[in-house]
Each structure stands twice: as C-alpha cells, then as structure tokens.
Short mmCIF file of all heavy atoms in Angstrom, two decimals:
data_model
loop_
_atom_site.label_atom_id
_atom_site.label_comp_id
_atom_site.label_asym_id
_atom_site.label_seq_id
_atom_site.Cartn_x
_atom_site.Cartn_y
_atom_site.Cartn_z
N ARG A 20 0.78 5.27 -6.42
CA ARG A 20 -0.39 5.89 -6.89
C ARG A 20 -0.82 5.51 -8.32
O ARG A 20 -1.96 5.26 -8.64
CB ARG A 20 -0.25 7.46 -6.81
CG ARG A 20 -0.15 8.01 -5.37
CD ARG A 20 0.28 9.45 -5.35
NE ARG A 20 1.65 9.60 -5.74
CZ ARG A 20 2.28 10.78 -5.98
NH1 ARG A 20 1.60 11.87 -5.93
NH2 ARG A 20 3.55 10.79 -6.33
N ALA A 21 0.21 5.34 -9.15
CA ALA A 21 -0.05 4.83 -10.47
C ALA A 21 -0.54 3.36 -10.41
O ALA A 21 -1.42 2.95 -11.16
CB ALA A 21 1.22 4.90 -11.36
N CYS A 22 0.09 2.53 -9.54
CA CYS A 22 -0.28 1.17 -9.41
C CYS A 22 -1.71 0.96 -8.88
O CYS A 22 -2.40 0.02 -9.27
CB CYS A 22 0.74 0.48 -8.52
SG CYS A 22 0.68 -1.33 -8.60
N MET A 23 -2.16 1.94 -8.11
CA MET A 23 -3.57 1.84 -7.64
C MET A 23 -4.49 1.90 -8.74
O MET A 23 -5.61 1.32 -8.70
CB MET A 23 -3.85 3.03 -6.66
CG MET A 23 -3.24 2.88 -5.26
SD MET A 23 -3.97 1.57 -4.38
CE MET A 23 -5.57 2.36 -3.90
N GLY A 24 -4.16 2.55 -9.86
CA GLY A 24 -5.04 2.61 -11.04
C GLY A 24 -4.88 1.42 -11.93
O GLY A 24 -5.58 1.37 -12.95
N LYS A 25 -4.03 0.46 -11.55
CA LYS A 25 -3.74 -0.67 -12.40
C LYS A 25 -4.04 -1.99 -11.65
O LYS A 25 -3.46 -3.02 -11.97
CB LYS A 25 -2.29 -0.66 -12.82
CG LYS A 25 -1.89 0.59 -13.65
CD LYS A 25 -0.43 0.56 -13.99
CE LYS A 25 0.01 1.79 -14.76
NZ LYS A 25 1.50 1.82 -15.02
N GLY A 26 -4.87 -1.88 -10.60
CA GLY A 26 -5.34 -3.10 -9.96
C GLY A 26 -4.67 -3.47 -8.65
O GLY A 26 -4.89 -4.62 -8.13
N PHE A 27 -3.88 -2.55 -8.09
CA PHE A 27 -3.20 -2.92 -6.79
C PHE A 27 -4.18 -3.41 -5.74
O PHE A 27 -3.92 -4.36 -5.05
CB PHE A 27 -2.41 -1.66 -6.32
CG PHE A 27 -1.69 -1.95 -4.98
CD1 PHE A 27 -0.50 -2.58 -4.89
CD2 PHE A 27 -2.37 -1.61 -3.81
CE1 PHE A 27 0.11 -2.82 -3.63
CE2 PHE A 27 -1.77 -1.89 -2.56
CZ PHE A 27 -0.53 -2.47 -2.53
N GLN A 28 -5.25 -2.60 -5.50
CA GLN A 28 -6.14 -2.93 -4.42
C GLN A 28 -6.74 -4.31 -4.62
O GLN A 28 -6.87 -5.07 -3.67
CB GLN A 28 -7.24 -1.85 -4.30
CG GLN A 28 -7.98 -1.85 -2.94
CD GLN A 28 -7.38 -1.00 -1.89
OE1 GLN A 28 -6.91 0.09 -2.16
NE2 GLN A 28 -7.34 -1.50 -0.70
N ASP A 29 -7.16 -4.66 -5.82
CA ASP A 29 -7.73 -5.97 -6.10
C ASP A 29 -6.75 -7.10 -5.80
O ASP A 29 -7.08 -8.12 -5.22
CB ASP A 29 -8.19 -6.05 -7.48
CG ASP A 29 -9.44 -5.25 -7.80
OD1 ASP A 29 -10.15 -4.85 -6.86
OD2 ASP A 29 -9.73 -4.88 -8.97
N PHE A 30 -5.48 -6.92 -6.25
CA PHE A 30 -4.44 -7.93 -5.97
C PHE A 30 -4.21 -8.06 -4.50
O PHE A 30 -4.09 -9.15 -3.97
CB PHE A 30 -3.19 -7.58 -6.72
CG PHE A 30 -2.05 -8.43 -6.30
CD1 PHE A 30 -2.03 -9.84 -6.58
CD2 PHE A 30 -1.00 -8.00 -5.60
CE1 PHE A 30 -1.02 -10.65 -6.22
CE2 PHE A 30 0.04 -8.82 -5.19
CZ PHE A 30 0.05 -10.17 -5.55
N PHE A 31 -4.10 -6.86 -3.83
CA PHE A 31 -3.84 -6.93 -2.39
C PHE A 31 -4.93 -7.73 -1.65
O PHE A 31 -4.61 -8.62 -0.80
CB PHE A 31 -3.78 -5.48 -1.84
CG PHE A 31 -3.41 -5.46 -0.37
CD1 PHE A 31 -2.11 -5.31 0.02
CD2 PHE A 31 -4.38 -5.60 0.63
CE1 PHE A 31 -1.79 -5.24 1.40
CE2 PHE A 31 -4.06 -5.55 2.01
CZ PHE A 31 -2.74 -5.35 2.35
N SER A 32 -6.15 -7.45 -1.95
CA SER A 32 -7.26 -8.19 -1.29
C SER A 32 -7.28 -9.64 -1.64
O SER A 32 -7.48 -10.50 -0.78
CB SER A 32 -8.61 -7.56 -1.77
OG SER A 32 -8.65 -6.18 -1.39
N SER A 33 -6.98 -9.99 -2.86
CA SER A 33 -7.14 -11.39 -3.33
C SER A 33 -5.95 -12.26 -2.79
O SER A 33 -6.17 -13.47 -2.54
CB SER A 33 -7.17 -11.47 -4.81
OG SER A 33 -5.93 -11.09 -5.42
N ILE A 34 -4.76 -11.67 -2.57
CA ILE A 34 -3.58 -12.46 -2.24
C ILE A 34 -3.61 -12.81 -0.73
O ILE A 34 -3.04 -13.83 -0.32
CB ILE A 34 -2.26 -11.76 -2.61
CG1 ILE A 34 -1.09 -12.78 -2.69
CG2 ILE A 34 -1.94 -10.62 -1.66
CD1 ILE A 34 -1.25 -13.79 -3.81
N ASP A 35 -4.25 -12.03 0.08
CA ASP A 35 -4.56 -12.34 1.47
C ASP A 35 -3.21 -12.62 2.23
O ASP A 35 -3.03 -13.68 2.90
CB ASP A 35 -5.49 -13.51 1.59
CG ASP A 35 -6.07 -13.75 2.96
OD1 ASP A 35 -6.27 -12.74 3.72
OD2 ASP A 35 -6.34 -14.89 3.33
N ALA A 36 -2.26 -11.71 2.13
CA ALA A 36 -0.91 -11.91 2.76
C ALA A 36 -0.96 -11.63 4.23
O ALA A 36 -1.72 -10.77 4.68
CB ALA A 36 0.07 -11.01 2.03
N ASP A 37 -0.07 -12.27 4.98
CA ASP A 37 0.15 -11.90 6.37
C ASP A 37 0.93 -10.54 6.44
O ASP A 37 0.68 -9.73 7.31
CB ASP A 37 0.84 -13.01 7.11
CG ASP A 37 -0.04 -14.27 7.19
OD1 ASP A 37 -1.01 -14.21 7.98
OD2 ASP A 37 0.24 -15.17 6.44
N ILE A 38 1.92 -10.43 5.62
CA ILE A 38 2.72 -9.23 5.45
C ILE A 38 2.91 -8.98 4.00
O ILE A 38 3.17 -9.86 3.20
CB ILE A 38 4.12 -9.35 6.15
CG1 ILE A 38 4.00 -9.76 7.62
CG2 ILE A 38 4.90 -8.03 6.03
CD1 ILE A 38 5.30 -9.88 8.34
N PHE A 39 2.77 -7.67 3.61
CA PHE A 39 2.86 -7.24 2.25
C PHE A 39 3.72 -6.00 2.25
O PHE A 39 3.40 -5.06 2.92
CB PHE A 39 1.44 -6.87 1.73
CG PHE A 39 1.30 -6.67 0.22
CD1 PHE A 39 0.45 -7.51 -0.50
CD2 PHE A 39 2.02 -5.68 -0.47
CE1 PHE A 39 0.31 -7.30 -1.90
CE2 PHE A 39 1.91 -5.55 -1.81
CZ PHE A 39 1.03 -6.37 -2.57
N ALA A 40 4.87 -6.10 1.50
CA ALA A 40 5.85 -5.01 1.46
C ALA A 40 5.90 -4.46 0.02
O ALA A 40 5.75 -5.19 -0.90
CB ALA A 40 7.22 -5.50 1.84
N ILE A 41 6.09 -3.21 -0.04
CA ILE A 41 6.26 -2.48 -1.41
C ILE A 41 7.58 -1.71 -1.39
O ILE A 41 8.06 -1.27 -0.33
CB ILE A 41 5.08 -1.65 -1.76
CG1 ILE A 41 4.96 -0.45 -0.84
CG2 ILE A 41 3.79 -2.44 -1.85
CD1 ILE A 41 3.96 0.64 -1.38
N GLN A 42 8.10 -1.54 -2.60
CA GLN A 42 9.24 -0.65 -2.79
C GLN A 42 8.91 0.31 -3.90
O GLN A 42 8.05 0.08 -4.72
CB GLN A 42 10.50 -1.43 -3.15
CG GLN A 42 10.93 -2.51 -2.15
CD GLN A 42 10.18 -3.84 -2.38
OE1 GLN A 42 10.02 -4.28 -3.54
NE2 GLN A 42 9.70 -4.51 -1.34
N GLU A 43 9.68 1.37 -3.94
CA GLU A 43 9.54 2.46 -4.93
C GLU A 43 8.11 2.98 -4.92
O GLU A 43 7.39 3.07 -5.96
CB GLU A 43 9.92 1.93 -6.37
CG GLU A 43 10.45 3.12 -7.19
CD GLU A 43 11.10 2.65 -8.54
OE1 GLU A 43 11.17 1.45 -8.77
OE2 GLU A 43 11.48 3.58 -9.26
N SER A 44 7.67 3.39 -3.71
CA SER A 44 6.37 3.99 -3.52
C SER A 44 6.23 5.31 -4.27
O SER A 44 5.11 5.72 -4.70
CB SER A 44 6.01 4.11 -2.04
OG SER A 44 6.96 4.96 -1.44
N LYS A 45 7.30 6.08 -4.38
CA LYS A 45 7.30 7.37 -5.08
C LYS A 45 6.28 8.37 -4.62
O LYS A 45 5.58 8.94 -5.43
CB LYS A 45 7.14 7.16 -6.62
CG LYS A 45 8.29 6.39 -7.28
CD LYS A 45 8.06 6.36 -8.82
CE LYS A 45 9.22 5.71 -9.51
NZ LYS A 45 8.98 5.70 -10.98
N MET A 46 6.14 8.48 -3.34
CA MET A 46 5.14 9.46 -2.79
C MET A 46 5.61 10.04 -1.47
O MET A 46 6.57 9.46 -0.82
CB MET A 46 3.78 8.82 -2.63
CG MET A 46 3.78 7.62 -1.70
SD MET A 46 2.08 7.07 -1.25
CE MET A 46 1.78 8.10 0.15
N GLN A 47 4.98 11.10 -1.06
CA GLN A 47 5.23 11.68 0.25
C GLN A 47 4.05 11.43 1.10
O GLN A 47 2.97 11.11 0.63
CB GLN A 47 5.47 13.20 0.11
CG GLN A 47 6.50 13.61 -0.94
CD GLN A 47 7.83 12.99 -0.74
OE1 GLN A 47 8.35 12.28 -1.60
NE2 GLN A 47 8.42 13.25 0.37
N GLU A 48 4.26 11.64 2.43
CA GLU A 48 3.23 11.46 3.41
C GLU A 48 2.01 12.37 3.03
O GLU A 48 2.15 13.53 2.72
CB GLU A 48 3.70 11.78 4.79
CG GLU A 48 2.73 11.46 5.86
CD GLU A 48 3.34 11.56 7.23
OE1 GLU A 48 4.47 12.00 7.40
OE2 GLU A 48 2.65 11.13 8.22
N GLY A 49 0.87 11.76 3.05
CA GLY A 49 -0.40 12.51 2.84
C GLY A 49 -0.86 12.51 1.33
O GLY A 49 -1.94 13.00 0.98
N GLN A 50 -0.05 11.99 0.44
CA GLN A 50 -0.46 12.02 -0.97
C GLN A 50 -1.38 10.89 -1.34
O GLN A 50 -1.98 10.99 -2.39
CB GLN A 50 0.81 11.93 -1.85
CG GLN A 50 1.65 13.19 -1.83
CD GLN A 50 2.80 13.14 -2.84
OE1 GLN A 50 3.57 12.25 -2.87
NE2 GLN A 50 2.90 14.20 -3.70
N LEU A 51 -1.55 9.91 -0.50
CA LEU A 51 -2.43 8.79 -0.76
C LEU A 51 -2.87 8.20 0.54
O LEU A 51 -2.07 7.94 1.42
CB LEU A 51 -1.70 7.73 -1.59
CG LEU A 51 -2.52 6.40 -1.87
CD1 LEU A 51 -3.66 6.68 -2.81
CD2 LEU A 51 -1.54 5.29 -2.35
N LYS A 52 -4.21 7.97 0.65
CA LYS A 52 -4.71 7.26 1.86
C LYS A 52 -5.12 5.90 1.40
O LYS A 52 -6.11 5.72 0.62
CB LYS A 52 -5.99 8.05 2.45
CG LYS A 52 -6.40 7.44 3.76
CD LYS A 52 -7.46 8.26 4.41
CE LYS A 52 -7.88 7.59 5.73
NZ LYS A 52 -9.01 8.39 6.38
N LEU A 53 -4.32 4.95 1.80
CA LEU A 53 -4.59 3.53 1.40
C LEU A 53 -5.45 2.91 2.44
O LEU A 53 -5.09 2.74 3.62
CB LEU A 53 -3.23 2.84 1.25
CG LEU A 53 -3.08 1.61 0.33
CD1 LEU A 53 -3.58 1.99 -1.06
CD2 LEU A 53 -1.65 1.16 0.34
N GLU A 54 -6.62 2.39 2.04
CA GLU A 54 -7.59 1.73 2.88
C GLU A 54 -7.27 0.24 2.92
O GLU A 54 -7.63 -0.44 1.96
CB GLU A 54 -9.04 2.03 2.48
CG GLU A 54 -9.36 3.50 2.45
CD GLU A 54 -9.55 4.06 3.87
OE1 GLU A 54 -9.56 3.23 4.88
OE2 GLU A 54 -9.62 5.28 4.04
N LEU A 55 -6.65 -0.23 3.96
CA LEU A 55 -6.33 -1.65 4.12
C LEU A 55 -6.79 -2.12 5.48
O LEU A 55 -6.03 -2.25 6.39
CB LEU A 55 -4.81 -1.84 3.94
CG LEU A 55 -4.12 -1.29 2.66
CD1 LEU A 55 -2.59 -1.44 2.75
CD2 LEU A 55 -4.75 -1.95 1.45
N PRO A 56 -8.08 -2.46 5.55
CA PRO A 56 -8.60 -2.88 6.84
C PRO A 56 -7.84 -4.09 7.41
O PRO A 56 -7.44 -4.98 6.58
CB PRO A 56 -10.03 -3.29 6.48
CG PRO A 56 -10.42 -2.53 5.23
CD PRO A 56 -9.11 -2.46 4.50
N ASP A 57 -7.67 -4.16 8.65
CA ASP A 57 -6.98 -5.25 9.37
C ASP A 57 -5.45 -5.22 9.18
O ASP A 57 -4.78 -6.17 9.67
CB ASP A 57 -7.56 -6.62 8.95
CG ASP A 57 -9.07 -6.76 9.11
OD1 ASP A 57 -9.51 -6.21 10.11
OD2 ASP A 57 -9.66 -7.29 8.19
N TYR A 58 -4.89 -4.20 8.55
CA TYR A 58 -3.43 -4.13 8.45
C TYR A 58 -2.93 -2.83 9.09
O TYR A 58 -3.47 -1.80 8.96
CB TYR A 58 -3.05 -4.10 6.96
CG TYR A 58 -3.19 -5.46 6.27
CD1 TYR A 58 -4.43 -5.85 5.73
CD2 TYR A 58 -2.12 -6.35 6.16
CE1 TYR A 58 -4.59 -7.11 5.14
CE2 TYR A 58 -2.29 -7.58 5.53
CZ TYR A 58 -3.50 -7.95 4.98
OH TYR A 58 -3.66 -9.13 4.40
N LYS A 59 -1.80 -3.03 9.75
CA LYS A 59 -1.05 -1.91 10.22
C LYS A 59 -0.14 -1.41 9.09
O LYS A 59 0.45 -2.23 8.35
CB LYS A 59 -0.14 -2.23 11.43
CG LYS A 59 -0.92 -2.87 12.59
CD LYS A 59 -1.75 -1.87 13.26
CE LYS A 59 -2.39 -2.50 14.53
NZ LYS A 59 -3.31 -1.62 15.24
N GLN A 60 0.04 -0.10 8.94
CA GLN A 60 0.81 0.45 7.79
C GLN A 60 2.03 1.19 8.29
O GLN A 60 1.91 1.98 9.25
CB GLN A 60 0.01 1.44 6.98
CG GLN A 60 -1.30 0.85 6.35
CD GLN A 60 -1.95 1.77 5.44
OE1 GLN A 60 -1.31 2.64 4.79
NE2 GLN A 60 -3.27 1.63 5.30
N TYR A 61 3.19 0.89 7.72
CA TYR A 61 4.43 1.59 8.06
C TYR A 61 5.08 2.05 6.79
O TYR A 61 5.41 1.26 5.89
CB TYR A 61 5.31 0.58 8.86
CG TYR A 61 4.62 0.06 10.10
CD1 TYR A 61 4.03 -1.10 10.09
CD2 TYR A 61 4.68 0.88 11.27
CE1 TYR A 61 3.28 -1.59 11.19
CE2 TYR A 61 3.98 0.38 12.44
CZ TYR A 61 3.30 -0.85 12.38
OH TYR A 61 2.62 -1.26 13.45
N TRP A 62 5.37 3.30 6.68
CA TRP A 62 5.88 3.98 5.49
C TRP A 62 7.21 4.63 5.77
O TRP A 62 7.39 5.23 6.83
CB TRP A 62 4.92 5.02 4.98
CG TRP A 62 3.63 4.52 4.53
CD1 TRP A 62 2.55 4.21 5.27
CD2 TRP A 62 3.15 4.26 3.16
NE1 TRP A 62 1.46 3.78 4.48
CE2 TRP A 62 1.82 3.79 3.17
CE3 TRP A 62 3.84 4.40 1.93
CZ2 TRP A 62 1.13 3.46 2.03
CZ3 TRP A 62 3.12 4.07 0.76
CH2 TRP A 62 1.80 3.61 0.84
N ASN A 63 8.15 4.56 4.85
CA ASN A 63 9.41 5.28 4.94
C ASN A 63 9.49 6.08 3.63
O ASN A 63 9.67 5.51 2.53
CB ASN A 63 10.59 4.32 5.02
CG ASN A 63 11.86 5.06 5.50
OD1 ASN A 63 11.84 6.26 5.68
ND2 ASN A 63 12.89 4.33 5.61
N PHE A 64 9.38 7.38 3.70
CA PHE A 64 9.36 8.30 2.54
C PHE A 64 10.72 8.88 2.27
O PHE A 64 11.43 9.18 3.26
CB PHE A 64 8.37 9.43 2.72
CG PHE A 64 6.99 8.94 3.06
CD1 PHE A 64 6.48 9.05 4.34
CD2 PHE A 64 6.14 8.47 2.09
CE1 PHE A 64 5.17 8.63 4.69
CE2 PHE A 64 4.83 8.03 2.39
CZ PHE A 64 4.32 8.14 3.68
N ALA A 65 11.08 9.01 1.01
CA ALA A 65 12.27 9.73 0.64
C ALA A 65 12.08 11.19 0.91
O ALA A 65 11.00 11.72 0.81
CB ALA A 65 12.66 9.45 -0.83
#
C-alpha cells in the first residue's frame, strides 16, 4: 500500500513482466484492490 504511493503501478506497467512476484505485502485480504489487467493474482496473507 505504501509502495503504491511511490510508483509501483508505473513500474509494473513499464517492466512488462510475464510473472511479477512481491514479498512483504504487509496487508490483509480486502485492504487493497490492485488493478492489473491481463494478470492473474495470487496472494498469501499473514
């Protein structure tokens, strides 16, 4: 959520990855709706 305010979405779009993984998301289900067209999303929450 903090990274979203620091350019995450722009980087995600520009890098054009086949698979993009993140660690230390620091969130629970429903706290952020990430709009990533053409990507399947899989989350594992603490």
Side-chain angles (χ1 to χ4, degrees):
R20 290 170 292 170
C22 197
M23 284 291 287
K25 300 175 183 177
F27 176 86
Q28 196 89 41
D29 289 341
F30 172 67
F31 185 92
S32 299
S33 66
I34 200 67
D35 195 32
D37 295 287
I38 303 179
F39 193 120
I41 66 169
Q42 303 86 42
E43 209 170 358
S44 58
K45 292 185 175 179
M46 60 169 271
Q47 308 305 119
E48 188 170 8
Q50 288 187 309
L51 175 70
K52 186 174 182 181
L53 207 52
E54 298 290 348
L55 304 174
D57 305 321
Y58 287 85
K59 306 289 185 183
Q60 301 187 27
Y61 302 95
W62 296 81
N63 193 2
F64 304 104

